[in-house]
Amino acid sequence: MTFSAEPAGASVNWADSGFAGLAAEIERLRGEYARRHLTDLATGVLAAQLDVSVGDAAAHLEALARATGLSLADLAADVVNSVAAPGTPLAAPGTAPPLQARHQRRTTAAAEATDNVGDAARALLEGALGPLGADSLWLWRSETAGSLSLAGHAGVGASEAAAWRWLPPTCPEPFRTALADGVPLWLESGPADGCQMPGPRPDAARALLPLKRRGETVGLALVGWPGPTPFDATARRAVTDLMGMAVTVLDRPGSTLPALPLLVDILDALTHPAALLRMSGTTGALIVEHLNERAVAALGRTLSAEERHLSHVFPLTHEALARLARRASRSSRPQQAARLPATARTPPGAVPAPLLDVRVLPAGNERSVLLWNTVGDSSLATGRAVSRLHSVATFQDSLTGGRTVWSEQAYGMFGMERDEPPVPLLALRERIHRGDDGALTRLLRTLMERRTGAQCVLRIVRPDGTVRHVRVAAEPLLDGDTVTGFVGVYQDESAMHRTELALSATFDRLTVVRDQAEMRHRLALQLQHAIVPEVPDLQELPGGLVVAARYRPAAEEYQVGGDWYDVLPLSDGKVLLAVGDIAGHGIDAVTGMVALRNAQRALAFTGRPPGPVMGWLNEVTLRTGDGITATAVCAIYDPVAGDLVWSSAGHLPLLLLRDGRARLLETPHDILLGAVWSPAYEERRIALRPGDTLLLYTDGLIERRHDGLGVGLARLVATVEELADGRHLGLLVDGLLGSVMGDTDDDTCIVAIGVL
């Protein structure tokens, strides 16, 4: 399965700039306000100590900053610390107090500058607790009757916060002990068995500290770490000092929303599943901060405190989702995948719901938004399909006062600029060759009078005088018996038309052969065999390899396809093993196949590994392939090390037969050749042993019209094991071709490599 990394459609582009821009502006204003707050505190201290006006004190503070070479914020932190810890002198020019004290003071000022407990908790976690290794902070406020309510939190998902929003008077251990004894609890390996606390895992370190004001406990703070952590005296003192400051913000308005409340409100308003993801600054793991109502319904449950990691919420797809999220974060562009496996564990007998139309959008501040559907969206699916075809465009016409809409590719077919209005189907006559008036009339009559779909090929005359042969396939939009518009597809068949003309002219000159069809068949067969010859007998290669290869044409009449294979000894003693499949059939597929096969051969002699070779081959496909796409596998075998390293561009997995047992090798899920610019192709490595057989093949071997690829691959594994009993490579590949596992009439390549 290939996970697409293409940018998402225009329907979600609003999140790309809006979320990240809003988050950046909020962060900038918060930082500026915190620095101003700290400077004001230091100015007041100097005014009182020097008995001068506030203006003179501010000027004196700036002069001191210039003299010491410190920033104004750092010097202000030192001034305030000298008051908080009497007897601590200000730093002389060229010297500095302990950086930890200065950093904590700046963090404290940032927290004091916030207007709610949630933002204060986030400032404390990111500014001071995070550098100590902590990844979460909880602040509960004492209420009447001895209960505690969650006033603010940071590094915590919304669903987990909801689960711990209230602690009753009979709260569980160790909360009860911390409240009763009034002293901090330092749980370096988590709480005792049977005690429940928030956190990613039971043995994660936690610090539980009562929050006191004038000797009275007014709340409780919980600092969490991602795993077991020892607490030395310095760490305990730093955490205790910071939580002493947290008491001052408990009376502010509470905040149980994530750091981007506006973003959460937007997700909650969506009519399809959505989740807010945050990357942990300490572990790099993705945390599910928030699920909207549709996401909770799709998952079938709310998240408990132990299930906020992405791997718990999406156990079958978390790796693919993490890749999309990281790509979105790095590129600042949305990413998408058409379909991912089931969303979550389901009851016995139930069918897991897959993730359809998956989109991941960057939201800034180490966050991303995950959107998906549980029912396929036809408009998104159609857009994805059309965007993969350079010669296909969609259109929609309204006959009731609406407008005509074209996809981007249609403007190129008609030779028009994007800012020009699209041409409705009813007004197309002025754009076509006069000889096609009858074809267009018949098309429109079928749509309007018979109210059924139709198609025809029209010669489109572009403004520069060139002519494009375009197939028009259209369907009427009906309201009862009234035609209200048309939807359809334009397909540019100009290249096909030119190829047909060239073939016709070529075969007309072959007058020595009376049966033109027989000559076409013979030439096509000779061309295919010249490019991709069979290896009927076992061929020995350097490095202790033997190979047998077979090619099966697509159909009896036209035996020219786009499948190829290659087994080539390289100058450094290694061996290139490759297989590929150009989309389509005919002369275009053959010429594209020849170009890619020869380019891959040349690139392999550079001595570079398969990943870079595949990346270069993609560049060749995009620059010289005239819109073709292809799947391929590039593998390099090192006979000295006995290792096989390979990369895959959307191709089927390799099959390894070892000790009579066949299995499919894990394949990188990278995009096919010719689809997008500059993808990074991953590599896989496996050590081969004497007696191993490696099988490379194309999809014609296993594809069946009414079965999925998974069924075909399972059938292939079983057939290989059945045929492998004591047979040499030639009999094995002949048996596979004779088993007729596929029924799509597609051409097929099979290459079997044995290790001696």
Side-chain angles (χ1 to χ4, degrees):
M1 182 180 296
T2 299
F3 299 119
S4 173
E6 303 169 26
S11 59
V12 293
N13 283 344
W14 49 270
D16 185 13
S17 58
F19 295 158
L22 176 62
E25 179 64 13
I26 290 174
E27 289 303 307
R28 186 188 68 79
L29 291 175
R30 282 175 174 162
E32 181 179 341
Y33 184 36
R35 287 189 293 273
R36 185 178 302 170
H37 173 69
L38 182 58
T39 304
D40 290 345
L41 286 176
T43 300
V45 170
L46 288 179
Q49 288 182 342
L50 303 177
D51 194 19
V52 297
S53 67
V54 173
D56 290 341
H60 184 65
L61 185 67
E62 293 177 359
L64 279 176
R66 289 192 296 271
T68 59
L70 298 174
S71 69
L72 193 60
D74 282 345
L75 182 61
D78 294 348
V79 171
V80 177
N81 279 337
S82 70
V83 177
T88 302
L90 286 177
T95 65
L99 294 180
Q100 183 177 358
R102 179 185 295 159
H103 186 70
Q104 287 190 1
R105 176 55 58 185
R106 293 192 61 171
T107 300
T108 299
E112 290 173 343
T114 61
D115 54 7
N116 63 70
V117 188
D119 288 343
R122 186 168 66 91
L124 291 171
L125 178 64
E126 295 179 354
L129 294 173
L132 296 176
D135 65 352
S136 63
L137 172 61
W138 304 72
L139 297 175
W140 285 275
R141 180 192 299 125
S142 294
E143 303 291 350
T144 57
S147 63
L148 295 171
S149 65
L150 186 61
H153 58 81
V156 179
S159 58
E160 186 176 12
W164 293 90
R165 184 174 182 180
W166 292 98
L167 293 178
T170 57
C171 56
E173 292 291 354
F175 296 99
R176 188 184 312 138
T177 299
L179 288 172
D181 296 346
V183 295
L185 295 181
W186 305 95
L187 310 174
E188 297 181 338
S189 300
D193 292 341
C195 297
Q196 291 189 348
M197 296 185 74
R201 43 191 277 192
D203 62 347
R206 298 166 178 88
L208 195 59
L209 301 95
L211 301 179
K212 296 185 178 183
R213 184 184 294 127
R214 294 186 293 274
E216 179 184 357
T217 299
V218 295
L220 199 60
L222 173 64
V223 184
W225 279 259
T229 303
F231 300 123
D232 57 21
T234 301
R236 296 189 183 200
R237 183 169 56 253
V239 173
T240 302
D241 291 345
L242 288 167
M243 293 305 99
M245 177 270 146
V247 178
T248 64
V249 301
L250 270 186
D251 293 332
R252 297 179 184 178
S255 173
T256 56
L257 292 176
L260 296 178
L262 176 60
L263 179 53
V264 172
D265 291 341
I266 293 174
L267 298 186
D268 287 341
L270 297 178
T271 58
H272 53 77
L276 180 62
L277 310 180
R278 176 182 59 82
M279 185 175 295
S280 172
T282 54
T283 65
L286 285 170
I287 307 299
V288 179
E289 279 198 322
H290 179 71
L291 296 172
N292 69 357
E293 183 178 350
R294 293 301 181 97
V296 172
L299 295 173
R301 70 192 191 284
T302 58
L303 299 183
S304 66
E306 292 78 20
E307 292 181 312
R308 61 193 179 103
H309 280 259
L310 190 69
S311 58
H312 292 155
V313 184
F314 301 101
L316 301 180
T317 60
H318 65 95
E319 292 181 352
L321 292 174
R323 285 195 297 270
L324 293 176
R326 293 188 177 96
R327 289 174 183 172
S329 178
R330 287 195 302 266
S331 65
S332 297
R333 298 179 62 187
Q335 307 292 312
Q336 70 178 19
R339 187 183 189 277
L340 297 180
T343 57
R345 297 177 292 273
T346 54
V351 179
L355 281 76
L356 305 176
D357 306 320
V358 177
R359 288 143 291 164
V360 179
L361 302 94
N365 200 25
E366 301 297 330
R367 287 178 171 82
S368 54
V369 173
L370 168 63
L371 307 173
W372 78 92
N373 290 326
T374 54
V375 178
D377 187 319
S378 59
S379 62
L380 291 173
T382 301
R384 284 195 306 271
V386 171
S387 67
R388 298 176 188 275
L389 303 175
H390 298 283
S391 61
V392 175
T394 60
F395 69 88
Q396 181 171 339
D397 291 350
S398 172
L399 303 181
T400 58
R403 61 192 182 100
T404 295
V405 178
W406 281 357
S407 66
E408 182 178 355
Q409 294 86 347
Y411 292 90
M413 293 183 192
F414 283 81
M416 296 169 56
E417 300 295 333
R418 285 297 308 272
D419 56 355
E420 296 184 69
V423 181
L425 198 60
L426 292 178
L428 204 59
R429 200 174 303 275
E430 61 185 26
R431 297 272 182 169
I432 66 173
H433 191 280
R434 287 181 297 176
D436 293 340
D437 281 352
L440 179 59
T441 299
R442 289 190 294 273
L443 174 70
L444 294 175
R445 183 174 297 164
T446 301
L447 294 171
M448 298 293 294
E449 297 179 3
R450 297 183 182 177
R451 301 179 184 85
T452 187
Q455 63 174 320
C456 67
V457 177
L458 302 175
R459 286 169 287 180
I460 304 298
V461 182
R462 303 203 294 186
D464 61 2
T466 59
V467 176
R468 309 295 295 181
H469 290 73
V470 176
R471 181 174 298 277
V472 184
E475 292 286 335
L477 298 175
L478 301 175
D479 184 357
D481 290 333
T482 303
V483 179
T484 61
F486 311 122
V487 294
V489 174
Y490 293 130
Q491 182 178 14
D492 190 341
E493 297 184 349
S494 302
M496 183 185 304
H497 179 74
R498 290 194 299 269
T499 301
E500 290 176 353
L501 291 178
L503 285 174
S504 297
T506 299
F507 288 125
D508 285 343
R509 289 193 295 268
L510 300 176
T511 55
V512 295
V513 180
R514 290 185 293 177
D515 190 340
Q516 190 181 64
E518 180 182 352
M519 174 59 72
R520 183 187 299 238
H521 175 87
R522 184 181 304 168
L523 288 177
L525 184 61
Q526 291 174 352
L527 177 61
Q528 183 66 62
H529 284 178
I531 299 169
V532 187
E534 291 190 357
V535 184
D537 299 323
L538 292 184
Q539 177 181 346
E540 293 191 10
L541 296 173
L545 297 181
V546 293
V547 61
R550 300 290 187 270
Y551 173 79
R552 182 180 66 191
E556 285 299 323
E557 184 176 358
Y558 301 105
Q559 301 204 34
V560 180
D563 289 16
W564 88 87
Y565 73 87
D566 209 354
V567 181
L568 180 66
L570 302 176
S571 56
D572 57 2
K574 299 178 182 179
V575 180
L576 168 69
L577 309 173
V579 68
D581 184 1
I582 297 286
H585 297 89
I587 297 300
D588 287 345
V590 172
T591 55
M593 176 263 287
V594 172
L596 291 190
R597 183 172 182 264
N598 290 337
Q600 188 179 50
R601 282 190 156 205
L603 293 171
F605 276 99
T606 63
R608 297 301 303 276
V613 169
M614 196 70 84
W616 292 333
L617 192 61
N618 180 66
E619 297 287 330
V620 172
T621 307
L622 287 166
R623 295 184 184 278
T624 65
D626 194 23
I628 66 170
T629 58
T631 65
V633 169
C634 176
I636 301 292
Y637 175 67
D638 185 349
V640 176
D643 287 347
L644 180 80
V645 181
W646 77 97
S647 293
S648 174
H651 201 78
L652 296 169
L654 281 63
L655 185 144
L656 177 66
L657 178 64
R658 175 175 289 172
D659 299 329
R661 302 294 295 176
R663 65 183 178 95
L664 300 172
L665 299 181
E666 181 184 358
T667 298
H669 298 300
D670 287 327
I671 197 165
L672 72 170
L673 300 174
V676 297
W677 291 98
S678 302
Y681 288 93
E682 299 180 17
E683 295 178 352
R684 295 288 189 271
R685 180 184 302 271
I686 189 173
L688 297 182
R689 303 199 303 241
D692 285 351
T693 298
L694 192 69
L695 195 69
L696 289 74
Y697 52 95
T698 55
D699 54 8
L701 179 65
I702 65 166
E703 279 190 339
R704 299 184 68 86
R705 292 183 177 88
H706 304 296
D707 290 340
L709 279 179
V711 176
L713 291 171
R715 187 183 300 114
L716 174 63
V717 170
T719 304
V720 168
E721 291 185 351
E722 180 181 346
L723 295 174
D725 186 17
R727 304 192 184 195
H728 63 69
L729 294 184
L731 293 178
L732 174 62
V733 293
D734 288 338
L736 289 174
L737 277 182
S739 63
V740 194
M741 287 180 286
D743 66 355
T744 60
D745 295 328
D746 197 5
D747 49 344
T748 299
C749 277
I750 308 178
V751 185
I753 300 97
V755 183
L756 297 178

